[in-house]
């Protein structure tokens, strides 16, 4: 079946010497993996490989056999050319980190709302300079689509239970500390356009650990990104 759809690149793994296996989250078909033969063997290989950088927004035409095997691209073009994402060390580190998170989080056959959210968030990232809290907000917002967004109905209570996903009056076995809960409550109120200086570098490190622990508990098969140490170093 010939399919034309938007796609977000989640990963690209070199196969043997000349080829790539590319994992994409597509708008119309959900998660798909593609085989790109001879990606490194032509004069235009640098141009072709550029299509498959982390979280690149593509428009593709592909042959989908839907048999659980690798699919093949027929045509590929950039749907939205990033201006700053790959030239900024901070933004490129963010997308590398988030591409790993998404690689271990998205298992859906199709989720158009999730695709549109990611697309708009990445375009926002490309067009703004103050992005220190972007990854925290995105991780929190993604939990809505994955089904474990925190229950904030009792957010006047002092402790957040990361297993139950709600606020509690007493500090339990699975509760984060009162100070961590205070920071987490602040994050629940933050939007992409909010003041990025609302958190210190140390605050962001604390919040990132909370969110990754939260994902590990609530999302089956989730693995903490290998780029986490690099990410922490860049944003320390």
């Amino acid at each position: 079946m010939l399919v034309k759809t938007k796609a977000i690149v989640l990963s690209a793994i070199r196969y043997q010497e000349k080829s790539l296996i590319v994992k994409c989250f597509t708008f119309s078909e959900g998660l798909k993996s593609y085989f790109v033969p001879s990606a490194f063997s032509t004069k235009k290989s640098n141009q072709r490989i550029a299509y498959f950088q982390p979280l690149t927004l593509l428009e593709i035409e592909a042959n989908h056999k839907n048999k659980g095997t690798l699919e093949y691209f027929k045509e590929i073009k950039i749907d939205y050319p990033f201006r700053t994402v790959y030239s900024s060390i901070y933004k490129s580190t963010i997308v590398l980190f988030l591409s790993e998170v998404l690689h271990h989080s998205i298992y859906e056959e199709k989720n158009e709302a999730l695709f549109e959210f990611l697309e708009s968030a990445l375009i926002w990232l490309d067009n703004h300079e103050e992005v220190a809290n972007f990854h925290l907000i995105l991780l929190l917002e993604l939990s809505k689509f994955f089904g474990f967004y925190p229950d904030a109905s009792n957010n006047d209570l002092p402790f957040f239970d990361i297993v139950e996903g709600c606020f509690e009056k007493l500090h339990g076995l699975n509760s984060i500390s009162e100070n961590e809960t205070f920071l987490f409550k602040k994050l629940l109120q933050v939007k992409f356009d909010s003041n990025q200086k609302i958190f210190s570098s140390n605050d962001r490190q604390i919040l990132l650990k909370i969110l990754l622990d939260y994902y590990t508990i609530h999302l089956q098969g989730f693995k903490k990104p290998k780029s986490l140490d690099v990410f922490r170093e860049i944003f320390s």
Side-chain angles (χ1 to χ4, degrees):
M1 178 175 66
L2 190 61
V3 175
K4 187 174 183 180
T5 181
K6 290 184 177 183
I8 299 172
V9 177
L10 300 187
S11 66
I13 300 171
R14 192 162 185 160
Y15 179 74
Q16 297 182 343
E17 291 186 6
K18 299 179 180 180
S19 304
L20 281 173
I21 295 175
V22 181
K23 186 176 181 180
C24 292
F25 181 52
T26 70
F27 178 76
S28 66
E29 304 291 314
L31 203 60
K32 287 288 181 182
S33 292
Y34 300 90
F35 185 66
V36 184
S38 304
F40 297 91
S41 62
T42 67
K43 292 181 180 179
K44 294 184 178 180
S45 61
N46 288 337
Q47 180 181 348
R48 294 192 72 188
I49 295 166
Y51 291 143
F52 307 120
Q53 293 186 76
L55 302 189
T56 301
L57 301 176
L58 300 175
E59 184 175 317
I60 65 171
E61 194 170 323
N63 292 307
H64 287 178
K65 295 183 179 180
N66 298 318
K67 293 182 178 180
T69 56
L70 295 173
E71 313 288 9
Y72 289 83
F73 294 114
K74 183 179 180 182
E75 291 187 18
I76 314 169
K77 67 178 183 179
I78 302 292
D79 185 57
Y80 176 89
F82 289 130
R83 297 179 300 104
T84 66
V85 163
Y86 301 124
S87 59
S88 162
I89 183 63
Y90 297 105
K91 293 183 181 182
S92 60
T93 303
I94 287 172
V95 298
L96 176 61
F97 169 77
L98 290 173
S99 68
E100 283 195 75
V101 170
L102 292 166
H103 178 81
H104 295 297
S105 302
I106 297 176
Y107 301 99
E108 308 221 11
E109 294 184 1
K110 181 177 180 180
N111 189 327
E112 294 178 355
L114 174 56
F115 185 97
E116 290 174 340
F117 167 74
L118 288 170
E119 180 183 43
S120 62
L122 291 168
I123 292 172
W124 186 96
L125 176 67
D126 188 53
N127 286 285
H128 292 80
E129 294 306 313
E130 298 296 325
V131 297
N133 300 323
F134 179 85
H135 59 294
L136 301 174
I137 300 166
L138 191 78
L139 286 174
L140 188 59
E141 290 297 310
L142 282 173
S143 70
K144 292 179 180 177
F145 297 94
F146 299 146
F148 54 91
Y149 188 78
D151 178 0
S153 57
N154 293 312
N155 65 357
D156 56 321
L157 299 178
F159 300 104
F160 181 70
D161 186 311
I162 62 172
V163 173
E164 297 299 326
C166 62
F167 294 91
E168 303 285 355
K169 184 176 182 179
L170 301 176
H171 187 275
L173 183 64
N174 300 309
S175 300
I176 58 178
S177 71
E178 191 166 2
N179 179 60
E180 290 170 335
T181 300
F182 173 75
L183 291 174
F184 195 64
K185 288 178 183 179
K186 285 177 68 176
L187 180 60
L188 288 168
Q189 305 301 318
V190 175
K191 305 299 180 186
F192 287 132
D193 288 319
S194 299
N195 179 10
Q196 297 293 302
K197 296 179 181 179
I198 190 172
F199 298 120
S200 68
S201 176
N202 187 58
D203 291 341
R204 284 189 283 270
Q205 297 285 4
I206 292 170
L207 285 166
L208 180 58
K209 182 182 184 305
I210 292 169
L211 286 166
L212 291 177
D213 288 345
Y214 193 54
Y215 267 63
T216 302
I217 290 167
H218 292 275
L219 197 59
Q220 186 176 2
F222 179 76
K223 298 178 182 178
K224 293 182 180 179
K226 294 179 180 179
S227 61
L228 182 57
D229 289 341
V230 175
F231 186 88
R232 284 172 171 160
E233 184 175 342
I234 295 292
F235 285 90
S236 61

